[in-house]
Amino acid sequence: MTSPEARRPIVAANWKMNTGPHDGAELARAVAAENLPFAQVDVVLCPPATGLTAVAQAVQGTPIGVGAQHVYWESSGAFTGEISVPMLTGLASYAIAGHSERRQLFGETDLDVQHKTLAILAGGLTPIVAVGESLDQRDAGATLTVLRTQITAVLEALSPEQSAASVIAYEPVWAIGTGRNASPAQAQEAIGWIRDTVAAAHGCPAAERVRIQYGGSVSPENCEELLGREGIDGALVGGASLDAAKFAAIVRAAAP
Ligand code: PEP
């Protein structure tokens, strides 16, 4: 069912709660100065909210996209500390929803992720919807069920066109920031299950178009093996994305 030629790989950097405007812009300029295969790979930087303006300015005139790590689904109002999708106008064209750190540390539910994804799409941005199982869930043989539940909660609110236009990141919780990446076979299997779930919800054309990344301790050492697998359409990169040369090596490995 998969047709890799039809999908452009996408590699996104999740800087998490690291960098301010000054060093964020410096890192963005360092990434832009790498000789990246922009003709073949979409490259996205997701700085913290305070760095969005500086990073957007730093990459202006380059093909590098900018993404927000977090948004609230309401457009405006009394939501202290939150950032809405309309507030990202001119700054970001992507936003992450459902990162496991948001789910685990800040109590985000599947329904929250659905609301956020809808708001991101409604605002004309591309959502990067993160899903993944914990180690206990994997050990209990529940990975497929967990992924299906998380992804279905979002898909049921989307049209087939919206799901096709989204990016999904398969990020096993046990692999994030641990230095223990999923094996290429594990990543490929889980991504296959996610694509099958999209097909069941919205048909094969949507499933063939939706881009599904792998995330979890991706590094220059393991990226070629992971990103060389059919069906793995790039990576969501945390730790290694704070080093321009390491991030660039991962982007290059994503080029078909
Ligand atoms: C992430 O934050 O999405 C991530 C995958 O982090 P790391 O690459 O550090 O595991």
Side-chain angles (χ1 to χ4, degrees):
M1 182 183 70
T2 54
S3 163
E5 306 76 49
R7 294 188 303 269
R8 249 174 95 76
I10 173 167
V11 179
N14 176 14
W15 292 351
K16 311 197 190 202
M17 200 173 73
N18 297 292
T19 71
H22 183 76
D23 49 340
E26 221 165 78
L27 178 54
R29 279 192 290 272
V31 172
E34 292 282 343
N35 190 18
L36 296 178
F38 290 121
Q40 294 159 292
V41 183
D42 286 341
V43 179
V44 182
L45 303 180
C46 302
T50 59
L52 281 167
T53 303
V55 168
Q57 282 168 358
V59 301
Q60 212 167 24
T62 79
I64 296 174
V66 177
Q69 294 176 16
H70 167 67
V71 293
Y72 190 54
W73 54 84
E74 295 288 350
S75 297
S76 62
F79 304 103
T80 300
E82 293 295 320
I83 292 167
S84 73
V85 176
M87 288 161 67
L88 294 171
T89 305
L91 294 179
S93 44
Y94 295 83
I96 300 172
H99 193 280
S100 68
E101 287 153 16
R102 301 287 326 166
R103 293 178 190 260
Q104 285 190 317
L105 303 174
F106 303 100
E108 274 185 15
T109 65
D110 286 342
L111 193 58
D112 294 341
V113 180
Q114 182 204 91
H115 291 329
K116 287 171 67 156
T117 304
L118 275 173
I120 292 163
L121 285 161
L125 276 63
T126 300
I128 300 176
V129 182
V131 295
E133 80 289 357
S134 67
L135 192 54
D136 283 352
Q137 290 165 332
R138 174 163 281 271
D139 289 346
T143 300
L144 171 58
T145 309
V146 170
L147 295 177
R148 235 186 231 155
T149 303
Q150 290 179 347
I151 206 70
T152 302
V154 175
L155 292 178
E156 66 187 11
L158 305 188
S159 67
E161 291 69 31
Q162 285 176 316
S163 66
S166 299
V167 175
I168 298 172
Y170 167 59
E171 297 213 302
V173 177
W174 47 272
I176 296 179
T178 59
R180 176 189 168 187
N181 59 285
S183 70
Q186 285 172 322
Q188 191 176 31
E189 179 182 51
I191 284 174
W193 288 335
I194 293 169
R195 206 176 295 286
D196 288 347
T197 307
V198 177
H202 288 145
C204 286
E208 281 166 10
R209 276 179 54 208
V210 66
R211 293 182 291 176
I212 310 179
Q213 304 169 304
Y214 166 74
S217 297
V218 178
S219 69
E221 290 71 40
N222 61 29
C223 60
E224 287 195 13
E225 233 198 325
L226 281 162
L227 303 185
R229 288 271 175 148
E230 189 186 326
I232 303 183
D233 304 322
L236 181 54
V237 188
S241 72
L242 292 169
D243 180 310
K246 288 184 184 175
F247 182 65
I250 296 167
V251 173
R252 288 186 195 107

